[in-house]
C-alpha cells in the first residue's frame, strides 16, 4: 500500500499540479484585492498573515515529512521485491536505502528549526528531538537559515535570539572639492528608493 500510494503521487503529476494551482488561486483571491487598474492591494494585516503562517506550518512539515517517508519506504520495498537479485544483494540494497532514508530524515528534521523562524508560535511547540538533531547538525553546518531573499530584505531572526536580520546598504560617495559629496549610482545596485529596481536577470 505504501508503494502504491507513492507510485500514484509520483506518476500522476497532475494531482500535485491541480492541487497547487487551486491553492495558489484561492490564496491570491483571499489575500489580495484587485482594483480597476489591476493593482494588487493586500487584504491581510501583518498579524493576520502571521497567524496564517503559524497555523499552516505544522501541516507543511507533516506533508513533506510524510512524502519523504513514503519515497524512502517505496525504494526499500522495490529493493526487497527484486526477484532477480540474490538474498545478499537485496540485503545490501535494503540496508543502503534505509541508511539514506535515515540521513534524509535527520537532515529534514534538523532543518525544521531554522525554517520555523517564520512561525514563532509554531516553533515554540516543535518536537524536542528536532532541536537535538539541529544542535547535532551544527558541527558540520548541515542545515542553516540562509536565504538570499530573507537576507536581502531583513526577514527572520538572527541566531534565534530575537534579532532582526538586516542587510546594511553601503553608499559610495565622491567629491570634487571635499565638501559637496554625491553618491555613485551603480547600475544594478540598490540605491534611490523612489526608482524602480532594474531588470537584472539572468545576471543575478
Amino acid at each position: 500500500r505504501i508503494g502504491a500510494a507513492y507510485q500514484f503521487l509520483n506518476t500522476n503529476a497532475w494531482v500535485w499540479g491541480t492541487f497547487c494551482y487551486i491553492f495558489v488561486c484561492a490564496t491570491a483571491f483571499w489575500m489580495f484585492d484587485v482594483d480597476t487598474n489591476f493593482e494588487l492591494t493586500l487584504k491581510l494585516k501583518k498579524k493576520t498573515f502571521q497567524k496564517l503562517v503559524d497555523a499552516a506550518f505544522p501541516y507543511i512539515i507533516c506533508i513533506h515529512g510524510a512524502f519523504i517517508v513514503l519515497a524512502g519506504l517505496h525504494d526499500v520495498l522495490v529493493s526487497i521485491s527484486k526477484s532477480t537479485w540474490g538474498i545478499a544483494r537485496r540485503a545490501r540494497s535494503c540496508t543502503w536505502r534505509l541508511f539514506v532514508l535515515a540521513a534524509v530524515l535527520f537532515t529534514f528534521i534538523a532543518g525544521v528549526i531554522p525554517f520555523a523562524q517564520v512561525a514563532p508560535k509554531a516553533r515554540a511547540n516543535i518536537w524536542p528531538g528536532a532541536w537535538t538533531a539541529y544542535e547535532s547538525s551544527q558541527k558540520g553546518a548541515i542545515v542553516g537559515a540562509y536565504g538570499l531573499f530573507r537576507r536581502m530584505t531583513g526577514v527572520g531572526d538572527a541566531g534565534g535570539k530575537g534579532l532582526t536580520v538586516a542587510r546594511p546598504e553601503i553608499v559610495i560617495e565622491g567629491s570634487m572639492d571635499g565638501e559637496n559629496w554625491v553618491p555613485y549610482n551603480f547600475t544594478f545596485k540598490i540605491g534611490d528608493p523612489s526608482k524602480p529596481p532594474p531588470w537584472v536577470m539572468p545576471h543575478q
Side-chain angles (χ1 to χ4, degrees), residues 145-153 167 204:
Y146 176 79
L148 176 61
F149 178 78
R150 64 191 301 272
R151 294 298 181 190
M152 294 281 286
T153 54
R167 177 178 179 264
Q204 185 178 5

Side-chain angles (χ1 to χ4, degrees), residues 50 53-54 57 115-126 157:
Q50 187 61 57
V53 173
D54 289 332
F57 180 81
F115 179 57
Q117 290 182 2
V118 298
K121 290 186 178 180
R123 184 175 184 174
N125 300 320
I126 291 178
D157 184 5

Side-chain angles (χ1 to χ4, degrees), residues 164-183:
T164 301
V165 177
R167 177 178 179 264
E169 194 61 43
I170 300 174
V171 178
I172 301 176
E173 297 182 341
S175 174
M176 298 297 292
D177 53 12
E179 295 182 0
N180 299 313
W181 294 83
V182 294

Side-chain angles (χ1 to χ4, degrees), residues 99-111:
F99 172 77
V100 172
L101 175 60
V104 172
L105 276 177
F106 173 81
T107 306
F108 173 76
I109 293 173

Side-chain angles (χ1 to χ4, degrees), residues 91-105:
R92 289 195 302 269
S93 177
C94 183
T95 302
W96 169 250
R97 282 167 169 76
L98 286 173
F99 172 77
V100 172
L101 175 60
V104 172
L105 276 177

